Amino acid sequence: MASRAEQAEGLRKRAAELKARAQRMEAMDQAAERRRLNHKKVLIGAAVLAAVNDGRLELPLLMKLMDKFCKRKSDRALFGLEAQ
């Protein structure tokens, strides 16, 4: 039979394993949420571009929105906007 010290060590080891498992599960949930959010962003972008192409949204209005939204130099360059 294991001593109390050995039992305590076994419990500590099990607790550490459970904690690591919980952290992995949380990381998987966070990754899934990031994927869902990115998918939403892609769909929104596609819908906006379709609206521009169909004439339901004026390109100058979209560019004005992007001018306010884009802050990074590389993002602004992507849309042909001047650096701020």
Side-chain angles (χ1 to χ4, degrees):
M1 183 167 194
S3 70
R4 285 181 141 334
E6 291 170 335
Q7 289 177 349
E9 181 58 31
L11 290 173
R12 279 191 288 277
K13 183 178 178 183
R14 178 74 174 138
E17 291 169 354
L18 290 173
K19 183 178 179 180
R21 184 176 175 191
Q23 289 172 338
R24 283 192 304 274
M25 291 175 75
E26 288 171 2
M28 289 172 60
D29 288 345
Q30 290 171 352
E33 182 59 28
R34 278 192 306 276
R35 284 191 300 275
R36 281 191 293 274
L37 181 58
N38 286 337
H39 191 96
K40 280 183 178 181
K41 290 177 182 179
V42 167
L43 292 175
I44 289 168
V48 168
L49 289 176
V52 169
N53 289 335
D54 294 347
R56 292 176 284 135
L57 176 63
E58 297 294 324
L59 184 59
L61 180 61
L62 176 60
M63 294 307 292
K64 185 176 179 181
L65 175 66
M66 296 312 296
D67 187 40
K68 290 180 181 179
F69 183 77
C70 295
K71 302 298 180 200
R72 292 187 342 197
K73 186 177 180 179
S74 60
D75 292 342
R76 296 185 65 75
L78 183 63
F79 291 96
L81 301 170
E82 293 180 15
Q84 290 182 332

